[in-house]
Amino acid sequence: MPLSEHEQRLLEQMERALYAEDPKFASALEGTGLRTYTRRRVYQAAAGFVVGIALLMGGMVAQQIWVSVVGFLVMLGCAVLAVTGWKRGPAGQGAGPKASPAPRRKAGVMDRMEQRWQRRRDEHDGM
């Protein structure tokens, strides 16, 4: 379902506010770097999931319960990795010794947006 003109204007306003508040973070999000990172993370998780299935099935065939349990845990871990891959930012913002701190959320933009939203709701209710 396409966005209405009003929704498109709001989205453009939010984008401009993001660029004004934190241009470095905004430029990191707009490029193909985020898509490449996400795609690579999902491919790795899918490959790991297939390995987990193989371990699960191999453990069942060999009647080794512990191998099946390990396979299940690998599958579960890869599923979590795939889901969190969609929600995380570009590479380098994850856990680890070289990880940079997560960008601080600036309350100014969100506060202004909430105030505008509330003002519009109040104006609409008053009509």
Side-chain angles (χ1 to χ4, degrees), residues 24-25 88 90-103:
K24 186 177 178 182
F25 180 67
R88 291 174 66 177
Q93 289 185 353
K98 293 184 179 180
S100 60

Side-chain angles (χ1 to χ4, degrees), residues 28-102:
L29 289 178
E30 77 174 355
T32 59
L34 180 61
R35 281 178 268 181
T36 302
Y37 168 75
T38 303
R39 188 178 303 129
R40 180 180 39 204
R41 175 72 71 166
V42 171
Y43 287 154
Q44 289 171 347
F49 195 83
V50 170
V51 169
I53 290 174
L55 285 171
L56 182 75
M57 299 301 284
M60 290 173 59
V61 169
Q63 295 182 353
Q64 298 290 323
I65 300 297
W66 67 272
V67 175
S68 296
V69 170
V70 168
F72 176 76
L73 292 175
V74 168
M75 290 169 54
L76 182 63
C78 289
V80 169
L81 185 68
V83 170
T84 59
W86 289 109
K87 295 181 181 179
R88 291 174 66 177
Q93 289 185 353
K98 293 184 179 180
S100 60

